[in-house]
């Protein structure tokens, strides 16, 4: 697992281009919010001089409190603007994730506060050659932005993220089943990209499902995330067009006194039972091994994405006790109803004074437990979403479910089939979009994502 580090000589920030400024349903979240483990470095970055665009503050190694800058009429105080020593970027904006690594970024690292998920379809005349050129452009732009640099040299950058640090930006790329026929690469199509089976609770919108290419963008700053979204969409040019796009959010880092597992829009902790990198079989469950087939997927993973709308009005009409019975956990701290704390293994056999199981037969944590599904497990790294209100006044809100596994036929599919047959939580959910993508391993220095597929 990579560790954080501070560079002795920082590379240029986005703000250098101006003359005045050099320089994480029961488990659908990001696990316990531990540090990065993507095979990428996450490192605080130091800035040069302050600018009028940057709020004054300190982020010293001693954790000194920020300096207040104030003056009558809202103007900057002369002493603050002229006499303050150089300051570092805030801790929130200073963290960078390396684009290069064994695995792509954005899989194991803690989920960021802001996310964009989108799919592209190749243009009618675009084939393998054009797709390779697009992946080169996308990879270079992602590498630069993840390092806190503009996506390209010159003056074409939109300036959306000027003065911002990298803010834990990650950009992840994947390929849908249709990509292989569009590029003449059907002989390299992984068996794991077989279409997902139909589930009885699905009400899928085909226009918001599937796609040739998939992009996941995450950052702890909303402008940094949107800047990356806009840059990649512009780079697609005439090669690919957006098929669908979804935006989501999580709790911001530092919003709680101490790190906590994320909560979803139902108020439940979300990600407690996620596999953890320190578990001995973690890599086996989540990543394709070096000896895996096809070889170009070595170090990669398969991602299932679903738009799951939550029936929040119906959910909120139930009592706290009823909600806890549906999930099988206490809402206050995420502890299983069988007792203990959040990390306590649920005792599925424990019974109450009335002889009934403390965790109901259809409780979500029982139905999704690996022991209930032949050991099937996924790494869930999702985002919440709210897209306004529906015609009936209900919130159009829920979960952008993102689940990673070495093989969806052994991860997502058996668990979803079990949920389909009898999960108390399913009464409050609507699955409205679905997609499956092959996400290759991380690129080496000088490589672009997918190079081993497109040029192998």
């Amino acid at each position: 697992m990579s560790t954080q580090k501070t560079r002795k000589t920082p590379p240029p920030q986005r703000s250098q281009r101006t003359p005045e400024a050099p320089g994480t349903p029961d488990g659908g979240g990001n696990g316990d919010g531990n540090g990065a483990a993507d095979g990428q470095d996450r490192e605080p970055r130091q800035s040069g001089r302050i600018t009028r665009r940057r709020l004054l503050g300190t982020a010293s190694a001693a954790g000194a409190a920020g300096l207040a800058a104030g003056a009558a009429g809202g103007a900057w105080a002369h002493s603050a603007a002229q006499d303050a020593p150089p300051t570092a970027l805030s801790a929130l904006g200073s963290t960078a994730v390396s684009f290069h690594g064994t695995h792509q970024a954005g899989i194991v690292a803690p989920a960021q506060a802001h996310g964009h998920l989108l799919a592209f379809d190749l243009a009618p005349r675009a084939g393998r050659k054009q797709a390779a050129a697009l992946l080169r452009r996308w990879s270079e732009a992602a590498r630069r932005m993840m390092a806190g640099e503009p996506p390209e040299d010159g003056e074409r950058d939109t300036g959306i993220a000027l003065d911002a640090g990298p803010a834990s930006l990650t950009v992840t790329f994947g390929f849908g089943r249709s990509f292989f026929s569009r590029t003449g690469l059907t002989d390299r199509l992984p068996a794991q990209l077989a279409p997902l089976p139909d589930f009885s609770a699905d009400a899928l919108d085909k226009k918001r499902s599937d796609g040739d290419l998939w992009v996941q963008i995450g950052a702890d700053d909303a402008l940094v995330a949107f800047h990356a979204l806009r840059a990649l969409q512009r780079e697609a040019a005439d090669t690919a067009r957006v098929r669908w796009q979804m935006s989501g959010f999580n709790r911001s880092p530092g919003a709680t006194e101490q790190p906590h597992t994320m909560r979803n829009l139902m108020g439940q902790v979300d990600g407690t039972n996620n596999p953890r990198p320190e578990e001995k079989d973690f890599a086996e469950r989540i990543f394709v091994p070096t000896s895996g087939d096809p070889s170009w997927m070595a170090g990669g993973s398969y991602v299932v994405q679903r738009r799951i709308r939550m029936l929040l009005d119906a959910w909120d009409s139930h009592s706290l006790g009823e909600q806890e019975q549906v999930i099988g956990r206490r809402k206050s701290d995420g502890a299983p109803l069988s007792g203990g704390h959040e990390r306590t293994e649920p005792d599925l056999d424990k019974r109450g004074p009335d002889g009934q199981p403390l965790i109901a037969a259809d409780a979500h944590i029982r139905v999704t437990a690996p022991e209930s599904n032949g050991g099937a497990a996924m790494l869930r790294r999702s985002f919440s979403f709210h897209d306004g209100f529906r015609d009936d006044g209900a919130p159009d809100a829920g979960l952008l479910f993102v689940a990673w596994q070495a093989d969806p036929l052994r991860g997502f599919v058996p668990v979803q089939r079990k949920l389909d047959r009898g999960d108390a939580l399913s009464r409050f959910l609507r699955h409205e979009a679905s997609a499956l993508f092959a996400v290759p391993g991380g690129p080496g220095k000088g490589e672009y994502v997918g190079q081993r597929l497109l040029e192998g």
Side-chain angles (χ1 to χ4, degrees), residues 3 48 72 96 134 215 228 231 254 342 354 362 399 405 417 442 451:
T3 57
L134 174 58
V215 181
E342 182 189 349
D354 59 357
D362 60 353
L399 192 72
Q405 58 260 284
R417 278 179 172 155
Q451 184 169 335

Side-chain angles (χ1 to χ4, degrees), residues 199-253:
F199 301 103
S200 63
D202 285 354
L204 304 181
D205 180 354
K206 296 300 183 182
K207 293 180 180 179
R208 294 193 292 182
S209 300
D210 305 319
D212 295 342
L213 292 158
W214 180 75
V215 181
Q216 174 190 254
I217 297 167
D220 285 332
D221 179 80
L223 286 179
V224 169
F226 183 80
H227 179 241
L229 174 70
R230 182 73 176 116
L232 297 178
Q233 183 261 330
R234 282 159 54 94
E235 288 291 350
D238 297 328
T239 304
R241 60 181 181 273
V242 176
R243 177 182 176 89
W244 52 258
Q245 186 257 323
M246 304 174 191
S247 297
F249 56 89
N250 280 308
R251 172 176 283 153
S252 297

Side-chain angles (χ1 to χ4, degrees), residues 10 78 152 160 167 172 174 187 234 242 261 263 313 319 336 342 346 355:
H78 173 80
E152 58 185 336
I160 296 169
T172 318
D187 58 331
R234 282 159 54 94
V242 176
T261 305
R263 289 185 182 270
D313 287 345
S319 69
E342 182 189 349

Side-chain angles (χ1 to χ4, degrees), residues 85-454:
T87 57
L89 284 168
S90 71
L92 184 67
S94 63
T95 303
V97 182
S98 175
F99 176 71
H100 303 289
T102 304
H103 317 299
Q104 285 195 61
I107 300 176
V108 183
Q112 302 95 326
H114 307 277
H116 298 293
L117 305 167
L118 60 160
F120 289 80
D121 284 336
L122 292 173
R125 296 183 180 179
R128 178 174 176 179
K129 180 179 178 180
Q130 291 76 17
L134 174 58
L135 267 296
R136 286 192 200 96
R137 297 196 301 273
W138 272 356
S139 295
E140 177 60 11
R143 181 194 67 77
R144 293 173 63 109
M145 290 186 291
M146 287 170 58
E149 303 169 7
E152 58 185 336
D153 293 323
E155 299 180 357
R156 289 191 65 238
D157 183 37
T158 59
I160 296 169
L162 281 175
D163 297 323
S168 301
L169 174 68
T170 59
V171 184
T172 318
F173 301 102
F175 304 107
R177 182 179 179 87
S178 56
F179 177 83
F180 294 83
S181 58
R182 295 296 310 279
T183 55
L185 293 169
T186 52
D187 58 331
R188 300 181 189 177
L189 175 67
Q192 293 82 356
L193 273 187
L196 296 174
D198 294 329
F199 301 103
S200 63
D202 285 354
L204 304 181
D205 180 354
K206 296 300 183 182
K207 293 180 180 179
R208 294 193 292 182
S209 300
D210 305 319
D212 295 342
L213 292 158
W214 180 75
V215 181
Q216 174 190 254
I217 297 167
D220 285 332
D221 179 80
L223 286 179
V224 169
F226 183 80
H227 179 241
L229 174 70
R230 182 73 176 116
L232 297 178
Q233 183 261 330
R234 282 159 54 94
E235 288 291 350
D238 297 328
T239 304
R241 60 181 181 273
V242 176
R243 177 182 176 89
W244 52 258
Q245 186 257 323
M246 304 174 191
S247 297
F249 56 89
N250 280 308
R251 172 176 283 153
S252 297
T256 56
E257 185 176 354
Q258 58 186 8
H260 288 279
T261 305
M262 292 288 184
R263 289 185 182 270
N264 60 34
L265 298 188
M266 289 178 163
Q268 301 290 334
V269 294
D270 200 338
T272 300
N273 203 33
N274 252 342
R276 299 187 186 182
E278 60 267 25
E279 296 172 359
K280 63 180 181 180
D281 60 349
F282 177 83
E284 176 184 339
R285 291 181 172 189
I286 308 304
F287 295 111
V288 177
T290 304
S291 59
D293 183 39
S295 60
W296 64 266
M297 273 293 292
S301 187
Y302 293 89
V303 63
V304 174
Q305 181 190 325
R306 299 206 131 200
R307 186 186 195 270
I308 304 176
R309 180 166 57 89
M310 296 176 171
L311 307 184
L312 293 177
D313 287 345
W315 175 257
D316 291 344
S317 70
H318 285 68
S319 69
L320 174 62
E322 290 170 333
Q323 292 178 355
E324 291 180 336
Q325 285 294 322
V326 167
I327 302 298
R329 292 186 181 276
R330 292 199 301 258
K331 197 171 189 177
S332 60
D333 60 2
L337 296 184
S338 55
H341 52 80
E342 182 189 349
R343 300 297 175 194
T344 301
E345 193 71 22
D347 186 346
L348 301 179
D349 298 322
K350 192 171 183 178
R351 297 177 180 270
D354 59 357
Q356 296 299 313
L358 290 175
I359 298 176
D362 60 353
H364 189 66
I365 67 168
R366 179 187 291 275
V367 177
T368 59
E371 53 266 39
S372 301
N373 296 280
M378 302 165 282
L379 177 65
R380 297 163 306 279
R381 190 180 184 276
S382 304
F383 292 92
S384 294
F385 74 88
H386 178 227
D387 293 336
F389 294 87
R390 296 163 58 86
D391 291 342
D392 60 2
D396 186 8
L399 192 72
L400 299 180
F401 175 84
V402 180
W404 300 89
Q405 58 260 284
D407 184 349
L409 301 179
R410 293 188 292 120
F412 172 78
V413 171
V415 175
Q416 188 59 36
R417 278 179 172 155
K418 190 74 175 288
L419 291 170
D420 216 30
R421 290 196 294 266
D423 169 38
L425 183 59
S426 295
R427 303 196 307 270
F428 304 95
L429 305 176
R430 295 292 182 269
H431 292 246
E432 298 181 335
S434 179
L436 169 64
F437 299 95
V439 177
K445 299 287 185 180
E447 289 186 333
Y448 64 87
V449 174
Q451 184 169 335
R452 287 164 240 174
L453 165 65
L454 291 162

